[in-house]
Amino acid sequence: MKLGLIGNPIKHSLSPWIHSRLLELAGIEGQYQLYEMQPGSFQQQIELLRNEQLDGFNVTVPFKQKIMPELDDIDGQAKKLGAVNTVKNHDGRWLGYNTDGKGFVNSLRAKYGTLLHPDTKVLLLGAGGAAKGIFFTLLNEGVRQIDVANRTTERAEAIVNASEAAVSSHSLTLKEAEGRIAEYHLIIQTTTVGMNPRSDESIISLKNMKEGAVVSDIVYQPLETAFLKDAISNGGRIHQGHEMLLYQAVYAFKIWTGKSIDETKLLMELEAQLKGE
Ligand code: ATR
């Protein structure tokens, strides 16, 4: 089986490691290769990629939108998000999917099975592609109030207003979110704030958060961000970025192969890998 990743930069991607392990665990012979493409010659490079006859590939920054006109069909969720991160080659036809939101929700459910229900109050920090994916997946799961706070408030407004949840969800400034932090059962950090090398930064303070609330950070380098440390010291429970990373990869692998792999053991291996053990 031939799999791969297109994006730029991708040299430090963890996907080759994850998918090689998934192939091994599924007992499938195959490889996962990196295709670093230049935005200026994307079209020509896509034609070359077609000749490679990959069975499937992942798409990352900055091509998640650019790939869409090259596809023969796009699944409903990816269409809604306007972004594709997984492509399956089905008898020569390229089909597009987005596994980010589902990866997030699956990993959250695996750890906190009863957390998500219609009355769960959620705060989403950030309004980029990752936030959008998580927002619409949570809505699909039946959550009704998902407030979105962002440095640029207009982007938060755009997400909230694009949905039927606009009645019960609000767009907020980061300051307003900090002031209302005690209301939320689930707080999700989707920006790059706190990522190495700026690991001492946190997007907002969690000082007044509800005890026992779940705090999630999609940043996985470092494994425990300053934001998550703040959560722990204020009585929060945490959900880490590498959990989403692994679950979205396992979901992509299922789209390509039809095989479900148990994430639990691989999650520990990934943790060790990220700690450099
Ligand atoms: P992606 O699609 O990967 O999520 P993106 O669209 O660039 O990436 O979104 C990045 C998010 O991080 C945005 O919500 C951005 O806020 P703005 O919309 O105001 O730009 C947020 N972000 C990045 N750096 C930030 C910082 N220093 N402080 C607060 N928010 C930041």
Side-chain angles (χ1 to χ4, degrees), residues 61 64-65 100 125-132 148-156 159 174 189-194 198 201-203 218:
V61 183
K64 288 186 185 187
Q65 275 117 36
D100 282 339
L125 297 162
K132 214 167 152 187
V148 184
N150 194 44
R151 179 177 61 181
T152 313
T153 328
E154 294 75 33
R155 294 185 80 193
I159 295 183
L174 292 173
Q189 201 299 109
T190 70
T191 78
T192 49
V193 177
R198 299 168 69 176
E201 294 178 6
S202 266
I203 189 153
I218 73 163

Side-chain angles (χ1 to χ4, degrees), residues 57-70:
F57 59 94
N58 287 124
V59 185
T60 189
V61 183
F63 303 125
K64 288 186 185 187
Q65 275 117 36
K66 242 182 163 172
I67 191 70
M68 296 179 82
E70 309 297 330

Side-chain angles (χ1 to χ4, degrees), residues 114-206:
T114 58
L115 179 65
L116 295 180
H117 52 76
D119 297 322
T120 311
K121 289 192 166 54
V122 180
L123 172 65
L124 204 51
L125 297 162
K132 214 167 152 187
I134 292 170
F135 183 89
F136 285 107
T137 310
L138 287 175
L139 271 191
N140 279 347
E141 299 285 322
V143 177
R144 290 183 300 209
Q145 184 182 340
I146 311 163
D147 293 348
V148 184
N150 194 44
R151 179 177 61 181
T152 313
T153 328
E154 294 75 33
R155 294 185 80 193
E157 263 165 35
I159 295 183
V160 171
N161 292 338
S163 79
E164 57 280 17
V167 202
S168 38
S169 303
H170 312 92
S171 51
L172 307 169
T173 64
L174 292 173
K175 260 274 151 290
E176 284 168 341
E178 202 172 79
R180 296 172 66 157
I181 201 75
E183 290 177 25
Y184 300 103
H185 305 109
L186 171 63
I187 300 161
I188 310 161
Q189 201 299 109
T190 70
T191 78
T192 49
V193 177
M195 190 183 283
N196 282 340
R198 299 168 69 176
S199 56
D200 53 336
E201 294 178 6
S202 266
I203 189 153
I204 58 169
S205 163
L206 295 168

Side-chain angles (χ1 to χ4, degrees), residues 234-271:
N234 286 293
R237 298 179 288 166
I238 65 167
H239 175 248
Q240 292 164 282
H242 70 290
E243 302 177 52
M244 169 180 175
L245 174 75
L246 182 71
Y247 277 70
Q248 68 79 21
V250 169
Y251 187 53
F253 189 77
K254 185 168 182 205
I255 289 172
W256 294 327
T257 63
K259 300 219 180 213
S260 299
I261 304 290
D262 176 34
E263 294 91 350
T264 337
K265 187 171 153 273
L266 202 48
L267 189 62
M268 290 190 324
E269 285 185 34
L270 178 62
E271 256 166 44

Side-chain angles (χ1 to χ4, degrees), residues 46-64:
I46 284 293
E47 292 320 314
L48 293 176
L49 191 70
R50 288 188 199 277
N51 299 335
E52 295 274 312
Q53 306 208 321
L54 297 179
D55 297 290
F57 59 94
N58 287 124
V59 185
T60 189
V61 183
F63 303 125
K64 288 186 185 187

